[in-house]
């Protein structure tokens, strides 16, 4: 029979994830035998802490291998609430927490349960690639707020100016992927207040929450007073915080009503994240000393890499990079290289790939033509090698 498959309209409007595509490209070149320096995907190069793996094995041994509630195990929901209480003094009811299969599904659940066709979604630019794709899937309109003029740090005035009667949701991400910039806590509160005045909901991707560099401190919107927090959904993830990208586990923290809607949706999709993974995460969050030590030692390494990598990038001809306050990305301004030789940042990325097998993500994927994103969730050896290769390709200042 002839195959008449065509994508549904909702999916046809979407683009495949460019971060995952860039990572795939690096993997393919490596498989072909090339010596590839992969600075594409934001994936911790650390192994998942041993004690978390052991809890997962314990879960399997105990037979925690069957369905759980669609919202996730009560114990996991409770432990997330306790963890946020311990770290931030937030008062969260376990009924406001739901488990999801990674931060992406948390975001997807939140957007799909709120948005109707034709709603406007405010997305600060540069943005993580998945944000506009999710709202596109929901047949909502992406309305971008350009943050170039404020050094890529969103402020309440920009949000206020962008809200219209059609605005339903603002999606924020601080520490930000791809820029590494952090919105100061008092500005975050002002942003939510401005949204609250107009009945606009806020979806905040906190997946880099614990990776901020001194003097910047982690700050979660979980601490907002109830009347403001009812408009906010936090999408959290174990992926980066505990180097657990492949385990696919995240969570939402939202009002009980919003949570119920998300759980209803999830009950017809993934049902819930893997049961023994939930078990391991609940155990890990309660094993606070080990958990906090694991995060602190990863952060220390990222801080060392950042301290070396960012100044080193600034020695490459045509590269300009500000110090990120959080996450693990260098967002490099390569507009100085554009002209006759390179028309776009994609050309610069391609040249780096062809000449030196250094794979990076083009800023255009994040709505920032003229920039490149380089992940420094990679060993110092890899980063040193990358900068050597860049010197060879573009020269040294
Ligand atoms: N969030 C990471 C990144 O931007 C992982 C890839 C993805 O999930 O898109 O590189």
């Amino acid at each position: 029979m002839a195959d008449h498959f065509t994508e549904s309209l909702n999916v046809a409007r979407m683009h495949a994830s460019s971060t995952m595509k860039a990572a795939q490209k690096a993997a393919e070149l490596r498989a072909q035998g090339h010596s590839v320096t992969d600075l594409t995907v934001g994936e911790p190069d650390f192994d998942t802490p041993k004690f978390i793996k052991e809890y997962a094995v314990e879960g399997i041994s105990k037979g925690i291998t069957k369905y759980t509630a669609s919202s996730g195990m009560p114990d996991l929901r409770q432990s997330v609430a306790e963890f946020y209480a311990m770290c931030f003094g937030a008062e969260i009811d376990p009924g406001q927490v739901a488990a999801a299969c990674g931060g992406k599904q948390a975001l997807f659940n939140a957007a799909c349960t709120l948005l109707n066709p034709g709603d406007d979604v405010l997305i600060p630019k540069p943005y993580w690639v998945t944000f506009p794709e999710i709202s596109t899937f929901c047949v909502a309109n992406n309305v971008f707020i350009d943050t170039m003029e404020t050094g890529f740090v969103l402020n309440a005035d920009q949000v206020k100016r962008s809200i219209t009667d059609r605005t339903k949701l603002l999606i924020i991400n601080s520490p930000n992927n791809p820029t590494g910039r952090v919105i100061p806590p008092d500005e975050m509160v002002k942003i939510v207040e401005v949204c609250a005045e107009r009945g606009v909901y806020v979806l905040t991707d906190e997946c880099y929450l614990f990776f901020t560099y001194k003097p910047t401190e982690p700050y979660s919107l979980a601490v907002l007073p109830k009347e403001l927090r009812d408009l906010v959904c936090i999408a959290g993830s174990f992926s980066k915080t505990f180097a657990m990208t492949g385990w696919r586990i995240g969570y939402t923290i939202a009002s009980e009503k919003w949570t119920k809607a998300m759980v209803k949706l999830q009950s017809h999709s993934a049902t819930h994240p893997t049961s023994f993974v939930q078990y391991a995460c609940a155990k890990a969050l309660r094993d606070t000393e080990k958990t906090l030590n694991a995060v602190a030692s990863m952060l220390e390494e990222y801080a060392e890499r950042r301290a070396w990598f960012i100044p080193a990038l600034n020695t490459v001809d045509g590269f300009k990079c500000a110090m990120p306050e959080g996450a693990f990305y260098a967002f490099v301004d390569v507009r100085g290289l554009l002209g006759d030789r390179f028309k776009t940042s994609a050309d610069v990325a391609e040249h780096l790939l062809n000449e030196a097998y250094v794979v990076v993500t083009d800023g255009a994927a994040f709505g920032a033509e003229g920039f490149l994103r380089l992940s420094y969730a990679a060993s110092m050896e890899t980063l040193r090698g990358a900068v050597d290769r860049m010197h060879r390709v573009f020269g040294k200042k």
Side-chain angles (χ1 to χ4, degrees):
M1 196 184 89
D3 180 1
H4 296 301
F5 176 81
T6 44
E7 288 177 340
S8 67
L9 294 177
N10 284 11
V11 173
R13 275 192 295 268
M14 299 172 85
H15 304 92
S17 164
S18 33
T19 45
M20 297 312 279
K21 242 197 297 195
Q24 186 61 35
K25 176 88 188 163
E28 276 165 25
L29 289 169
R30 191 171 289 128
Q32 288 163 15
H34 299 291
S35 150
V36 171
T37 303
D38 180 3
L39 304 182
T40 58
V41 79
E43 176 164 53
D45 56 316
F46 307 110
D47 197 3
T48 303
K50 192 159 168 262
F51 73 101
I52 303 183
K53 290 186 189 174
E54 284 168 357
Y55 281 136
V57 172
E58 181 183 297
I60 294 174
S61 310
K62 279 183 153 178
I64 301 174
T65 54
K66 302 287 167 62
Y67 288 135
T68 73
S70 297
S71 53
M73 289 174 176
D75 211 32
L76 176 62
R77 303 173 83 188
Q78 177 84 39
S79 69
V80 169
E82 286 168 11
F83 195 69
Y84 274 73
M86 182 191 71
C87 295
F88 304 105
E91 286 173 29
I92 298 168
D93 188 278
Q96 298 168 329
V97 179
C101 303
K104 262 181 195 162
Q105 195 182 32
L107 292 162
F108 217 85
N109 286 347
C112 290
T113 48
L114 181 78
L115 296 174
N116 286 311
D119 285 342
D120 280 357
V121 178
L122 297 180
I123 301 179
K125 198 162 96 165
Y127 46 78
W128 181 45
V129 295
T130 292
F131 298 154
E133 300 300 335
I134 294 178
S135 76
T136 295
F137 176 79
C138 295
V139 201
N141 307 312
N142 295 309
V143 177
F144 298 110
I145 306 176
D146 202 325
T147 61
M148 182 84 89
E149 56 166 20
T150 48
F152 298 142
V153 182
L154 180 74
N155 66 39
D157 282 342
Q158 289 167 321
V159 175
K160 194 172 187 161
R161 284 201 302 268
S162 309
I163 293 177
T164 70
D165 290 345
R166 284 200 309 273
T167 311
K168 186 71 168 281
L169 177 68
L170 165 72
I171 305 182
I172 52 177
N173 173 221
S174 176
N176 181 272
N177 174 6
T179 65
R181 303 312 307 266
V182 170
I183 303 171
D186 53 342
E187 199 61 39
M188 286 276 257
V189 176
K190 279 191 207 151
I191 289 171
V192 179
E193 283 170 349
V194 157
C195 288
E197 277 165 24
R198 302 289 299 271
V200 172
Y201 289 83
V202 178
L203 174 54
T204 173
D205 177 356
E206 293 193 349
C207 87
Y208 300 97
L209 178 64
F210 292 98
F211 296 132
T212 54
Y213 305 102
K214 294 242 169 304
T216 306
E217 293 293 333
Y219 171 77
S220 170
L221 282 182
V223 298
L224 287 176
K226 186 181 171 342
E227 62 284 4
L228 287 179
R229 223 186 62 214
D230 278 352
L231 292 171
V232 174
C233 177
I234 293 168
S237 172
F238 288 80
S239 295
K240 321 281 180 186
T241 314
F242 304 111
M244 295 177 68
T245 48
W247 298 56
R248 307 314 303 138
I249 179 134
Y251 51 88
T252 47
I253 302 172
S255 68
E256 274 167 39
K257 271 195 197 162
W258 200 347
T259 300
K260 275 193 182 130
M262 292 191 279
V263 171
K264 176 162 74 168
L265 174 67
Q266 185 161 282
S267 76
H268 292 294
S269 58
T271 311
H272 58 75
T274 305
S275 49
F276 53 84
V277 169
Q278 293 187 49
Y279 173 86
C281 287
K283 284 280 198 179
L285 289 184
R286 292 213 171 98
D287 202 339
T288 46
E289 205 185 314
K290 283 189 189 153
T291 296
L292 295 177
N293 281 342
V295 174
S297 71
M298 286 189 262
L299 179 60
E300 202 179 316
E301 287 242 16
Y302 289 138
E304 271 174 34
R305 294 168 187 183
R306 179 186 82 132
W308 181 83
F309 193 45
I310 308 301
L313 287 172
N314 280 310
T315 66
V316 179
D317 242 348
F319 279 27
K320 250 169 61 186
C321 185
M323 202 51 126
E325 290 123 15
F328 35 64
Y329 302 106
F331 202 52
V332 184
D333 183 348
V334 294
R335 285 174 298 174
L337 291 174
L338 303 185
D340 291 343
R341 192 166 167 219
F342 306 114
K343 295 268 173 294
T344 61
S345 45
D347 294 342
V348 178
E350 202 177 310
H351 187 68
L352 198 51
L353 170 77
N354 293 338
E355 295 298 309
Y357 288 107
V358 176
V359 200
V360 302
T361 314
D362 175 21
F366 308 97
E369 164 55 40
F371 288 75
L372 301 177
R373 189 194 76 172
L374 282 53
S375 165
Y376 56 89
S379 69
M380 275 304 288
E381 196 193 340
T382 305
L383 299 177
R384 285 184 201 281
V387 172
D388 279 348
R389 291 180 189 208
M390 290 173 199
H391 281 150
R392 256 186 283 132
V393 174
F394 298 111
K396 207 168 171 176
K397 276 180 196 159

